[in-house]
Amino acid sequence: MKNINKLVIGLIMLMGVSSCSDYLDDPKPTDVLTAVDVYNSPEGVRAYFTGVYRMFRAQYTRTDAGGVYSFYYARSMKGNDLMQRSWYKWDYQHENREDNYTRTGFAWQFPYDVINHANTMIKEIAASTALSDADKTLFTAEAKALRAYFYFQLYLEFYGEGLGLQTPPIYTEPVTEGGAMSDPAAFRQLIIDDINAAVAGLTDDRLDKSYINVAVAQGLKARILMAFNQDWDQVEAAALAACGGDAAASLNASIYDTGFDDITNSEVIWGMYQTADQTNYYYSAPHVFSDFHNGPYKGMFVNANLVNSFSSTDVRYEFENYYGVGPGHWAEYVTNKFQFSFEADMYLMRTAEMLLIAAEAKYRNSDASGAHDLLYALQLNRDPNAVKSANTGADLLEEILYERRKELYSEIGVEWFDAKRLGRGIDRDSHHLVEVDLEPNDKRFVLKVPEDEYNANENIDESVNDNR
């Protein structure tokens, strides 16, 4: 049988966990390690997790396929609000989706690498005789959160509603052979079951914000259920739990004063520390692409229509006409939201996102007043001159969705994410370098299954990309 070459078998890079800095250290060789080394103590298991989290921000293949940030930045480039002329320009042009292209290979291989590590941990934690029951519960929950997170990335990239597609293979234990494509309902249920198990088993405790705790798991649950359009009561509860129960009090506008490079800000729920001795140099998006004063690529531009939606008193108004071009030119505006630094931390989840998720959930639960209150709480925190909206019905929903774009542009691919989950298209206006419009449920929301996969996996053949 063919060997699946996407999955890393064996132990992850075992990392030393510092008792002082809590930073993620560089990987050490693994060929001399055994399951006994890792699963003989809580410290060994935590070191394994640390190695997995290091993969989030490591240099996986190339500049536009480096780590978790590559998913989010590529998605950010696919909408109407931003433009790109250097790395990621193929994503911006909606061309980076063929079965032998970088984006497809990375978006398939990277999640399955981490999923196999999660499966290894789940299996070995259960078999350990050295770990306490409490440790087993906690570590298994964290591993299931990781598995849910990366199956969710596969779902977003390789499945589209209305196209008659199957979802990628499901593996719930370490494997050496490739499986068949799966049923979408079963795929979604695995993600939901895993994230619910994570919420049930995790606590508030963690070494630092690089690790998943119950708040992060709740935030992931909110994202997952809203993407699946399931149970808005649970979406609202999970989003509010992620930001401590009081969404408005969790906001901290000073995050816009620091260039989004420091996850110690109280508004950050989850992120990855970056240090000088572990730098990604020119890999890390969006920082190295967005800072036009210091950044190396100077490739990202902001649509004037998005810029003009901010008032001059809004702390988020971080734009300038760097090149001095005239109104309407595609290069009219750049953003100073992200400060260039080789040590810039990676942002993965913020309380502002959770507040806006809760606002949408309240709207869908027929609580328009509650939705207005949350929306205004964010707007007033960002702009002292904000005026509470009077929008009702569908107009209120559109305001919430647009506020998500204003707050989260270039962070988590929110415009693409919302268009895909809501079955909408993406219409680019005349400000763009490349005017590419996507119809609702367009095939270009979906990547093709990589050629390397169907060549290596006897359970999948080239026909998997029919209608993709």
Side-chain angles (χ1 to χ4, degrees):
M1 301 181 74
K2 300 176 185 177
N3 290 328
I4 186 167
N5 61 2
K6 308 306 170 296
L7 308 178
V8 176
I9 309 303
L11 299 177
I12 184 71
M13 310 168 290
L14 184 62
M15 321 284 278
V17 179
S18 169
S19 60
C20 300
S21 67
D22 289 337
Y23 290 125
L24 309 185
D25 295 332
D26 285 334
K28 296 176 175 63
T30 65
D31 56 355
V32 297
L33 300 174
T34 68
V36 173
D37 295 314
V38 175
Y39 301 101
N40 198 42
S41 68
E43 292 77 18
V45 180
R46 178 51 60 202
Y48 196 130
F49 272 107
T50 301
V52 173
Y53 288 119
R54 178 68 178 90
M55 294 175 70
F56 275 56
R57 58 189 179 84
Q59 299 177 6
Y60 195 74
T61 56
R62 60 182 235 178
T63 301
D64 56 350
V68 166
Y69 53 84
S70 298
F71 284 111
Y72 293 137
Y73 196 68
R75 293 169 190 166
S76 296
M77 289 304 112
K78 294 179 180 181
N80 183 53
D81 295 335
L82 303 173
M83 290 160 274
Q84 180 59 246
R85 66 175 183 178
S86 59
W87 290 95
Y88 293 89
K89 70 180 180 181
W90 298 278
D91 300 289
Y92 168 67
Q93 295 167 185
H94 288 277
E95 296 175 352
N96 200 1
R97 60 181 298 271
E98 294 302 318
D99 58 6
N100 59 348
Y101 283 14
T102 296
R103 181 65 52 221
T104 56
F106 166 78
W108 184 278
Q109 181 173 343
F110 181 59
Y112 275 125
D113 279 353
V114 181
I115 287 166
N116 205 59
H117 292 312
N119 287 337
T120 298
M121 286 190 282
I122 291 168
K123 178 181 178 180
E124 297 294 344
I125 288 166
S128 173
T129 59
L131 298 173
S132 69
D133 288 344
D135 284 336
K136 287 185 176 184
T137 297
L138 184 68
F139 288 139
T140 299
E142 190 170 355
K144 287 188 175 182
L146 283 169
R147 190 167 71 180
Y149 179 79
F150 281 97
Y151 270 127
F152 187 48
Q153 304 315 310
L154 287 167
Y155 181 87
L156 291 174
E157 296 290 357
F158 293 97
Y159 180 72
E161 291 287 347
L163 298 176
L165 302 176
Q166 292 181 298
T167 36
I170 293 173
Y171 308 104
T172 55
E173 59 182 45
V175 299
T176 57
E177 297 171 355
M181 299 292 282
S182 65
D183 173 68
F187 200 92
R188 286 190 291 266
Q189 193 60 52
L190 172 65
I191 296 171
I192 292 170
D193 289 346
D194 271 357
I195 201 60
N196 282 337
V199 169
L202 288 167
T203 69
D204 290 327
D205 294 336
R206 53 179 168 174
L207 290 179
D208 61 49
K209 289 184 178 181
S210 298
Y211 297 85
I212 296 175
N213 68 354
V214 67
V216 175
Q218 291 280 20
L220 294 177
K221 180 177 180 177
R223 287 180 183 173
I224 289 164
L225 292 183
M226 76 185 299
F228 296 166
N229 290 305
Q230 291 192 11
D231 199 333
W232 287 96
D233 284 333
Q234 287 196 51
V235 172
E236 179 181 340
L240 292 175
C243 50
D246 188 338
S250 71
L251 297 174
N252 183 351
S254 70
I255 199 167
Y256 280 90
D257 297 328
T258 58
F260 277 67
D261 69 345
D262 181 2
I263 64 172
T264 63
N265 185 285
S266 62
E267 197 169 296
V268 179
I269 300 172
W270 188 31
M272 293 290 151
Y273 284 110
Q274 188 72 281
T275 58
D277 62 327
Q278 297 174 21
T279 179
N280 277 359
Y281 294 103
Y282 298 103
Y283 269 62
S284 297
H287 294 84
V288 299
F289 293 90
S290 305
D291 189 325
F292 271 68
H293 296 284
N294 304 294
Y297 294 120
K298 296 181 171 60
M300 191 180 87
F301 299 83
V302 185
N303 192 317
N305 285 326
L306 181 69
V307 173
N308 293 332
S309 69
F310 294 90
S311 77
S312 61
T313 55
D314 194 316
V315 70
R316 299 172 296 184
Y317 193 92
E318 298 270 1
F319 310 103
E320 66 172 304
N321 188 338
Y322 184 83
Y323 290 111
V325 299
H329 193 281
W330 59 265
E332 183 178 1
Y333 288 109
V334 301
T335 179
N336 296 313
K337 180 178 179 179
F338 306 98
Q339 175 177 296
F340 170 74
S341 169
F342 286 148
E343 300 175 47
D345 295 342
M346 181 198 308
Y347 284 52
L348 295 175
M349 186 183 294
R350 294 196 287 122
T351 60
E353 177 198 358
M354 294 298 116
L355 180 149
L356 289 168
I357 290 176
E360 181 179 344
K362 284 183 178 293
Y363 165 83
R364 295 187 182 279
N365 286 329
S366 300
D367 181 6
S369 176
H372 269 297
D373 288 345
L374 288 179
L375 178 62
Y376 181 59
L378 175 71
Q379 293 169 333
L380 186 62
N381 182 268
R382 298 331 194 199
D383 183 355
N385 294 328
V387 177
K388 193 170 186 178
S389 168
N391 282 328
T392 60
D395 290 339
L396 175 57
L397 175 61
E398 294 307 312
E399 184 177 6
I400 294 169
L401 294 174
Y402 200 76
E403 199 69 38
R404 279 168 56 82
R405 289 164 62 177
K406 292 172 66 175
E407 179 66 31
L408 298 166
Y409 74 86
S410 197
E411 292 185 54
I412 57 171
V414 67
E415 183 185 3
W416 177 91
F417 176 82
D418 285 350
K420 184 166 187 177
R421 72 181 171 91
L422 296 172
R424 300 182 175 190
I426 292 176
D427 297 323
R428 284 186 175 164
D429 56 39
S430 59
H431 289 280
H432 274 268
L433 273 162
V434 179
E435 293 186 46
V436 179
D437 295 334
L438 272 63
E439 298 296 322
N441 299 317
D442 198 296
K443 292 180 183 180
R444 286 169 291 183
F445 281 108
V446 179
L447 299 180
K448 295 185 177 181
V449 173
E451 180 181 49
D452 284 349
E453 178 64 25
Y454 62 72
N455 283 341
N457 184 349
E458 68 176 11
N459 291 301
I460 299 175
D461 60 36
E462 191 172 0
S463 67
V464 72
N465 286 326
D466 292 349
N467 205 39
R468 284 183 180 268

